[in-house]
Amino acid sequence: ACWKTYLGRPEADAHRTMAIQALGNAISSPGEALPVLEASLALRRRYFSEEDNLVAQANLASCLGDLGRDDEALVLRREVYTRRVATLGASHE
């Protein structure tokens, strides 16, 4: 798998975090994808700006929703929405 190509890179490497995110998105079982998406978001929060984390956070929210964890998903989706409006402006709602 392509993510193994980037495994030896430093944690802060953008290609490594994108590969982990791609792996999480490719896993068809939400239960198996969840820990990968959580790890991806944790890495991104540690090394990247809040704006860079919005896609990873939205992906995690979708996975949580697929698992029926709607309350947790809603919290994340609201955070993503609030940050996107703050970053891009109300015209991008």
Side-chain angles (χ1 to χ4, degrees):
C2 73
W3 66 273
K4 288 184 180 180
T5 302
Y6 303 102
L7 192 59
R9 293 186 180 205
E11 279 191 348
D13 183 81
H15 297 289
R16 177 186 168 144
T17 59
M18 286 187 288
I20 293 170
Q21 186 69 41
L23 173 64
N25 291 337
I27 297 172
S28 60
S29 167
E32 293 176 10
L34 182 62
V36 177
L37 294 172
E38 288 173 331
S40 173
L41 182 57
L43 283 173
R44 297 193 69 79
R45 282 181 171 160
R46 193 173 313 142
Y47 297 111
F48 299 97
S49 70
E50 284 190 34
E51 291 80 24
D52 291 333
N53 300 333
L54 293 178
V55 171
Q57 194 170 358
N59 290 338
L60 179 57
S62 293
C63 183
L64 288 168
D66 291 343
L67 289 168
R69 294 167 61 176
D70 297 326
D71 292 340
E72 294 169 84
L74 183 59
V75 169
L76 287 175
R77 286 183 176 129
R78 284 180 174 162
E79 287 178 21
V80 169
Y81 174 79
T82 300
R83 284 197 215 140
R84 282 193 175 153
V85 169
T87 302
L88 301 173
S91 63
H92 286 86
E93 287 188 44

